[in-house]
């Protein structure tokens, strides 16, 4: 958490020195600086500022075990978006851990099937994710900002189920780059 806070401060200083309001503004300035692909700006070339993605799986367990960490995490979520630092928080049991501060500082919320309407409401502010059938794995609801809910169907990603009958062997063929289109 201290390292992330230090990185946020460093990024704020870099943006201030460049006269940029956020990472997108900084990248626009960088594209116009000498040595960039466009190379039509003045002054010294700006260093790249990559986006950072922090993934926390089993977020609810972390909140239970490290409750003080939550304050720092909310601060990272609040300040990080404009600085190119993004959070992905995942949990199987969202009940009680998705606070108003987290909701206010997350722009994209996704809920797969949950068993309790309250869990769906914690994430989406709607009970819809509790209505998803077991027979539709990969189905989820998505809320971006204050927009309406959107139902999304994703593909199942994984290997064969244990005990599945293999009817045909897979064949691997080299495909030249030009053949991919």
């Amino acid at each position: 958490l201290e390292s992330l806070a230090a990185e946020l401060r460093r990024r704020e200083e870099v943006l201030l020195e460049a006269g940029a309001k956020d990472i997108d503004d900084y990248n626009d300035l960088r594209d116009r600086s000498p040595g960039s692909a466009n190379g039509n700006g003045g002054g010294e070339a700006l260093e790249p500022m990559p986006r950072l993605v922090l993934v926390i799986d089993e977020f609810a367990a972390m909140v239970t075990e490290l409750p003080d960490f939550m304050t720092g995490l909310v601060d990272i979520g609040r300040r990080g978006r404009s600085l190119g630092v993004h959070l992905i928080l995942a949990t199987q049991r969202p009940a009680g851990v998705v606070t108003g501060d987290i909701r206010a500082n997350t722009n994209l919320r996704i809920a797969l099937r949950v068993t309790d309407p309250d869990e769906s409401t914690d994430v989406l502010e709607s009970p819809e994710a509790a209505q998803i059938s077991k027979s539709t794995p990969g189905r989820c609801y998505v809320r971006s900002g204050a927009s309406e809910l959107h139902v999304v169907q994703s593909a199942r990603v994984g290997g064969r189920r244990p005990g599945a009958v293999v009817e045909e062997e897979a064949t691997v063929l080299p495909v030249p780059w030009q053949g991919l289109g």
Side-chain angles (χ1 to χ4, degrees):
L1 193 58
E2 288 178 24
S3 296
L4 289 168
E7 176 62 15
L8 290 180
R9 283 191 301 274
R10 185 191 74 77
R11 285 171 176 251
E12 287 171 335
E13 289 171 8
V14 169
L15 293 181
L16 183 64
E17 287 175 18
K21 64 179 170 46
D22 59 24
I23 191 171
D24 292 327
D25 193 27
Y26 178 87
N27 287 331
D28 289 344
L29 290 171
R30 184 176 176 273
D31 289 345
R32 293 189 303 264
S33 70
S36 70
N38 297 341
N40 56 5
E44 199 172 305
L46 298 173
E47 290 295 316
M49 186 181 297
R51 293 186 182 269
L52 299 177
V53 179
L54 176 63
V55 180
I56 299 176
D57 193 12
E58 291 307 331
F59 175 63
M62 189 203 71
V63 169
T64 302
E65 293 174 21
L66 304 167
D68 296 338
F69 194 79
M70 185 70 158
T71 304
L73 202 59
V74 168
D75 184 54
I76 290 168
R78 182 177 46 81
R79 293 172 43 216
R81 258 193 324 247
S82 65
L83 300 172
V85 179
H86 307 281
L87 300 175
I88 297 177
L89 308 175
T91 185
Q92 291 182 25
R93 299 283 175 217
V97 297
V98 182
T99 65
D101 283 338
I102 291 175
R103 250 186 246 105
N105 291 294
T106 52
N107 200 29
L108 180 66
R109 290 177 268 159
I110 302 170
L112 293 160
R113 185 179 66 84
V114 293
T115 56
D116 186 342
D118 290 338
E119 291 179 333
S120 177
T121 301
D122 275 353
V123 176
L124 300 171
E125 299 174 355
S126 167
E128 295 296 319
Q131 305 302 319
I132 298 172
S133 169
K134 285 183 180 181
S135 65
T136 54
R139 175 85 36 101
C140 65
Y141 281 93
V142 176
R143 183 180 301 277
S144 178
S147 71
E148 292 181 22
L149 281 179
H150 297 280
V151 66
V152 174
Q153 180 65 50
S154 64
R156 178 182 181 276
V157 178
R160 296 190 184 277
R161 293 186 182 134
V165 178
V166 178
E167 294 180 15
E168 190 175 308
E169 290 293 317
T171 304
V172 178
L173 301 172
V175 178
W177 179 253
Q178 295 82 8
L180 291 177

